[in-house]
Amino acid sequence: QVQLLESGGGLVQAGGSLRLSCTASGDDFSLYNMGWLSQAPGKERELVAAIAVGGSTKYDDSVKGRFTISRDNSANTVHLQMNNLKPSETAVYYCAGDRCLLAVVSGTGESWGQGTQVTVCP
């Protein structure tokens, strides 16, 4: 298992940017597929972006061209660069990891961070 800790959330105006970070510990990070999922109040968690062990990426259609997921295995860290943010993207953003890629994509990853709040004002 790997323990995850997110940071970088905050309050921004519509059109602004944030960079979320997730630092892992407790296991070999390079063997884990990673992802970011969002959860608005009363809603299920939804995949925002994922990055596989080999570096392949997947994005929700709504964020393509605006968000970028990346990983730095030497630093045990995953980032989500979020540009041109919209008020509808206000949510808690969670970092997730699993040895199986499909678990991350489907929202059933074995490891989760505590979440970081992103608030986008109109």
Side-chain angles (χ1 to χ4, degrees):
Q1 296 184 3
V2 62
Q3 290 73 53
L4 305 174
L5 180 62
E6 302 102 328
S7 63
L11 177 68
V12 296
Q13 298 296 311
S17 298
L18 287 173
R19 184 174 176 84
L20 307 184
S21 298
C22 173
T23 300
S25 62
D27 208 346
D28 188 347
F29 175 75
S30 67
L31 301 179
Y32 279 75
N33 306 283
M34 303 297 298
W36 289 94
L37 296 91
S38 65
Q39 185 171 30
K43 303 292 185 180
E44 297 293 322
R45 293 185 187 183
E46 299 180 345
L47 180 70
V48 178
I51 185 165
V53 169
S56 298
T57 57
K58 180 181 179 65
Y59 297 92
D60 182 82
D61 287 342
S62 67
V63 307
K64 285 183 177 179
R66 297 187 296 116
F67 291 10
T68 303
I69 188 171
S70 61
R71 65 189 298 157
D72 183 351
N73 287 346
S74 66
N76 292 350
T77 302
V78 174
H79 300 284
L80 183 67
Q81 179 66 45
M82 310 166 70
N83 296 329
N84 194 21
L85 282 158
K86 303 175 180 179
S88 62
E89 291 163 342
T90 293
V92 177
Y93 285 73
Y94 295 89
C95 180
D98 201 284
R99 294 284 298 271
C100 297
L101 177 60
L102 287 178
V104 174
V105 173
S106 68
T108 59
E110 68 176 8
S111 299
W112 294 88
Q114 85 288 350
T116 185
Q117 176 71 45
V118 171
T119 302
V120 185
C121 297

